[in-house]
Amino acid sequence: MEFDRRQELRKGLLQGLVWVLVACVFLVLANVAKPAEAADVAVDVSEPFDRSSLLFPYYEVPDVLNSAAMHHNNRLASRLLTQLQSLNTLTTQYCAGGAALAALNEQYSKAYLTWLELSALVTGPMLTNNTVRQIDFRPLRLNLLERAIQKQPVGADQMALVGSPAKGFPAYEYLLTQPSFKLATAPCAYAREVVQDLIRVVSELKWTTVKNMASDEDEQANALQADMQLYFNQLVGAVHNLAWERMEKSMLKASDQGAAGKGVIWPFSELNLTTRAWAAQWRGIEPLLVLGSPQVPDGAQQVIPLEAYLRGLGQIGLADNLVKHSAAASLRLQTIALNKPELNQDSRAQSIEQSIKALKALKTFLEQDVAKGLNVSIQFSSSDGD
């Protein structure tokens, strides 16, 4: 009888393990079924965590700048290059009748959102080469685009003669949404050349580590301070660009369109990328501002955000307030209600206004408080004058 009881117990345990295994498999399959780019749809607001138990070392300026170059810029540039190569393959297949337009739209969206994440902060070769103007010049010049399609340029040398307003991401995006964009047509052939030109430009984006060659200690300190000042100003400019150029300008234009009785057209709305584009740009900024996990960053392995640099300097209050401002911006960006048809236009506009307000508060805090704590001056960034 004791033997039978043990057998029943063993059988029950085995059945329990089987059900646990089935549940695990179900969860894995459920997660796999989620869209691979779900993170692109909205801003990811991580759970707050306690920093008080973390011990931050004193970081040197090169530690901060090199970590951003290696683990943020180069990582995103590599991902973008891979996505553009996939877009090139799909474009060639589509123009030959071997791929669906929906697949092309999806792949273009992935590539462009990664580009927005990378180009949110313009530094290094992107700043030196004026890459944003090269491949994301807006507004697109339709007359120049039509002329380029008629000429049918082929290869790097001929595409170099085409002006930036008629190529790059805006040109491909426009062609993608036109009824004339069909297989074995001139627009399709030109789209292939546009993608290949994008690949050439992006393949040259390689961030290198900061190397101070000054022999004099004062010269070295001044050079490093100048490097940090440039980096900081570009970071402030990135927040300004998202708040004003990308969001507030678009909102004001939409408001004017609505007041005039016209249909409201948001940027990238034809590909359903409006809020995803804003989220992507914020993802290119936030990791450079604050920690994403309760871990002290090692510059050889992770990005050293501004928060960690401030904590290493003993500027705990500034770091804590930076976290608060950044978290407020993340939360507001997550709650934008642009694509909720059940809400009226005023409610949608209010959700965007709150996001803009949070971003502007972050920018003001960076300019007035953090700049003073880092002993850097606020100057023009590449975002000014747009």
Side-chain angles (χ1 to χ4, degrees):
M1 189 170 181
E2 184 68 24
F3 175 78
D4 291 341
R5 192 174 299 157
R6 289 178 182 176
Q7 288 290 94
E8 289 178 4
L9 181 60
R10 187 179 291 111
K11 183 177 179 182
L13 287 172
L14 287 173
Q15 287 177 337
L17 287 172
V18 168
W19 281 112
V20 169
L21 181 60
V22 169
C24 289
V25 170
F26 176 80
L27 287 173
V28 169
L29 290 175
N31 285 325
V32 169
K34 292 179 181 179
E37 297 297 316
D40 292 330
V41 177
V43 174
D44 179 24
V45 180
S46 57
E47 290 294 324
F49 53 87
D50 184 19
R51 271 94 162 161
S52 61
S53 62
L54 301 179
L55 299 177
F56 292 84
Y58 175 82
Y59 296 107
E60 300 285 353
V61 170
D63 296 332
V64 178
L65 303 185
N66 292 340
S67 73
M70 296 299 105
H71 310 304
H72 182 80
N73 300 108
N74 281 339
R75 176 184 60 83
L76 287 171
S78 177
R79 187 203 300 173
L80 176 58
L81 185 58
T82 299
Q83 290 176 345
L84 287 172
Q85 289 165 342
S86 297
L87 182 62
N88 182 46
T89 300
L90 273 175
T91 304
T92 300
Q93 292 173 350
Y94 174 79
C95 292
L101 184 60
L104 217 54
N105 282 329
E106 182 181 355
Q107 186 56 42
Y108 172 79
S109 297
K110 290 179 182 179
Y112 191 66
L113 291 173
T114 300
W115 160 249
L116 288 178
E117 194 172 343
L118 171 63
S119 62
L121 180 71
V122 180
T123 61
M126 192 178 293
L127 183 61
T128 305
N129 301 338
N130 206 1
T131 306
V132 174
R133 186 178 180 87
Q134 279 190 62
I135 63 177
D136 201 5
F137 186 100
R138 296 177 188 271
L140 178 70
R141 303 290 192 264
L142 287 179
N143 60 325
L144 299 180
L145 174 60
E146 291 168 359
R147 190 184 307 167
I149 292 173
Q150 290 173 358
K151 289 185 176 180
Q152 285 294 286
V154 177
D157 292 341
Q158 293 184 23
M159 282 298 291
L161 300 176
V162 178
S164 296
K167 58 184 180 181
F169 286 107
Y172 191 96
E173 181 183 307
Y174 175 81
L175 293 172
L176 201 57
T177 58
Q178 298 307 300
S180 60
F181 188 65
K182 300 182 182 300
L183 62 95
T185 60
C188 218
Y190 184 68
R192 290 201 309 269
E193 294 297 330
V194 168
V195 178
Q196 289 164 17
D197 192 61
L198 284 168
I199 289 172
R200 285 189 289 269
V201 174
V202 172
S203 64
E204 294 177 357
L205 293 177
K206 299 184 188 302
W207 278 257
T208 57
T209 55
V210 174
K211 295 179 182 178
N212 197 315
M213 305 302 291
S215 56
D216 183 83
E217 286 188 6
D218 289 338
E219 286 184 17
Q220 187 178 42
N222 290 336
L224 289 176
Q225 184 68 8
D227 288 339
M228 172 53 78
Q229 185 160 283
L230 174 62
Y231 177 76
F232 181 78
N233 275 279
Q234 289 300 100
L235 202 48
V236 173
V239 177
H240 167 76
N241 181 267
L242 176 57
W244 165 244
E245 188 69 25
R246 296 289 186 176
M247 298 184 69
E248 191 168 14
K249 268 190 177 182
S250 300
M251 184 184 69
L252 293 174
K253 184 177 179 180
S255 177
D256 290 343
Q257 290 170 338
K262 301 177 182 178
V264 175
I265 302 175
W266 291 93
F268 317 118
S269 58
E270 289 188 341
L271 295 175
N272 194 29
L273 293 182
T274 303
T275 54
R276 295 172 69 189
W278 296 339
Q281 197 159 343
W282 176 243
R283 286 198 306 274
I285 300 170
E286 187 183 27
L288 303 174
L289 292 175
V290 295
L291 296 170
S293 64
Q295 180 181 2
V296 176
D298 175 4
Q301 304 293 331
Q302 301 103 11
V303 170
I304 299 172
L306 203 57
E307 176 201 348
Y309 182 55
L310 287 168
R311 294 189 188 282
L313 292 174
Q315 301 274 13
I316 308 302
L318 279 179
D320 288 343
N321 285 328
L322 176 59
V323 172
K324 291 177 183 177
H325 281 288
S326 181
S330 285
L331 182 61
R332 290 303 183 187
L333 283 163
Q334 189 188 45
T335 56
I336 288 178
L338 183 63
N339 295 324
K340 293 184 178 180
E342 68 273 15
L343 298 178
N344 60 34
Q345 186 63 32
D346 290 339
S347 297
R348 296 177 194 176
Q350 185 179 20
S351 68
I352 299 172
E353 286 174 355
Q354 290 171 342
S355 299
I356 295 169
K357 184 178 179 180
L359 287 167
K360 285 184 174 181
L362 170 61
K363 175 178 177 281
T364 300
F365 171 71
L366 289 170
E367 289 176 326
Q368 296 183 356
D369 297 308
V370 179
K372 188 182 298 183
L374 295 178
N375 194 29
V376 296
S377 59
I378 297 299
Q379 300 175 340
F380 287 110
S381 75
S382 62
S383 298
D384 294 310
D386 290 342

